Amino acid sequence: MNKFEKMGQSYAQMEQIRESVKGLVREAKQGFEKRETEILQDVTLTHVGQKQQLDKVRGQYLNQLLGQLQSAKKEFDKTSDNAVAFADEILLAEPEKPSAAAEAEFERRLTALKTDTVLAANTKSGLSKLEAFVNTIENPYFARKMMAEFPALAASFVNKDVSSQLKLGHINTKLTSVASTEEQKQAQQIKESALSKKDQPLIPEYDQYYNVATKTFGHQVADYFRNPEAYSSQE
């Protein structure tokens, strides 16, 4: 399994963990409701006794659920970190180097471009030549080489009119896009998504399972979802 596949696997595991948490809430609710029914049907208990038993059982299920949620959150964060680490390795990888002949041809054309931009009749003409050159680049390796040359090539245009600045920005954006392989583009998206989801609650407030958990077990579950780092198991 290569790094890209491992990254995808880690990201898929994040989603699986998030879904499994809903199952934990559902099981805790069903378990408590079963015991609640048994207690309420116990004719040997007074109303006060029933309440005491219900509070005790609710607390047991609450602590069990919070412990399970804490374990799930730790696993989720670990898996998120793995996805990000694999993504970073992909993002830092150098593109495959083309043949010596292809590189020599690129260097020849680049040298010609430098001359053409210097000798261009006006700013518009020079920018057009620069844009046309960039538009021919499809290989990430050459795009990165061009990015290294871009500041010097753009230097003669930076103090021109606003439209020239916008054109330079457009050319640079195109170059930046080509400089990443398709795998790197996907890795960047997964990295950003993994980091974002790590900062979010496993069950957000708008989710039906959030409402189920808080309605059944009270504010402590809501407090945990909002700030899992602050949670400490209670006996």
Side-chain angles (χ1 to χ4, degrees):
M1 188 178 293
N2 59 36
K3 291 184 179 68
F4 188 81
E5 292 169 335
K6 290 178 180 179
M7 176 189 67
Q9 183 182 65
S10 294
Y11 189 76
Q13 288 174 348
M14 289 173 59
E15 296 305 308
Q16 292 169 1
I17 294 170
R18 186 182 291 275
E19 285 301 311
S20 73
V21 168
K22 297 177 181 179
L24 295 176
V25 171
R26 183 171 57 251
E27 290 171 7
K29 176 180 182 293
Q30 291 172 345
F32 170 71
E33 288 178 342
K34 180 180 178 181
R35 291 288 292 118
E36 180 183 38
T37 299
E38 293 172 353
I39 291 169
L40 293 176
Q41 290 178 347
D42 189 343
V43 296
T44 66
L45 292 173
T46 64
H47 287 303
V48 173
Q50 287 178 339
K51 184 180 185 305
Q52 290 174 339
Q53 285 294 310
L54 286 173
D55 288 344
K56 178 181 178 181
V57 171
R58 181 181 284 106
Q60 290 172 343
Y61 275 96
L62 169 63
N63 282 335
Q64 177 180 301
L65 177 60
L66 289 176
Q68 291 172 327
L69 293 174
Q70 186 182 44
S71 296
K73 176 60 174 164
K74 288 180 179 179
E75 186 63 24
F76 184 86
D77 289 351
K78 178 183 176 181
T79 308
S80 172
D81 290 342
N82 288 339
V84 170
F86 287 128
D88 281 337
E89 289 186 45
I90 294 169
L91 291 170
L92 292 173
E94 291 293 330
E96 183 179 351
K97 190 173 182 178
S99 67
E103 187 164 12
E105 173 60 16
F106 176 81
E107 293 293 348
R108 184 193 66 75
R109 293 177 58 243
L110 178 59
T111 299
L113 172 68
K114 292 177 181 178
T115 301
D116 288 344
T117 53
V118 170
L119 299 177
N122 51 54
T123 299
K124 183 177 180 179
S125 174
L127 282 172
S128 294
K129 292 178 184 296
L130 177 59
E131 182 177 30
F133 183 89
V134 169
N135 285 340
T136 65
I137 299 175
E138 297 179 351
N139 187 307
Y141 177 85
F142 291 141
R144 294 192 183 193
K145 292 203 72 171
M146 185 60 184
M147 286 178 69
E149 299 284 349
F150 191 79
L153 285 165
S156 58
F157 306 116
V158 294
N159 295 320
K160 304 300 180 181
D161 56 276
V162 174
S163 63
S164 297
Q165 301 301 308
L166 292 173
K167 176 68 77 174
L168 278 175
H170 173 75
I171 296 171
N172 188 54
T173 298
K174 170 72 187 303
L175 197 56
T176 302
S177 176
V178 179
S180 296
T181 65
E182 288 303 314
E183 283 194 352
Q184 287 174 325
K185 291 175 183 177
Q186 293 181 53
Q188 183 63 38
Q189 292 176 345
I190 286 180
K191 176 182 178 179
E192 291 173 0
S193 179
L195 290 172
S196 174
K197 290 182 177 182
K198 184 179 178 181
D199 290 337
Q200 298 170 10
L202 284 178
I203 298 182
E205 289 189 40
Y206 58 78
D207 193 284
Q208 63 173 326
Y209 285 92
Y210 177 94
N211 295 328
V212 168
T214 54
K215 184 177 180 180
T216 306
F217 299 109
H219 71 87
Q220 283 180 281
V221 178
D223 292 343
Y224 172 81
F225 284 139
R226 293 193 191 100
N227 187 13
E229 289 76 15
Y231 165 73
S232 60
S233 184
Q234 300 180 17
E235 294 295 332

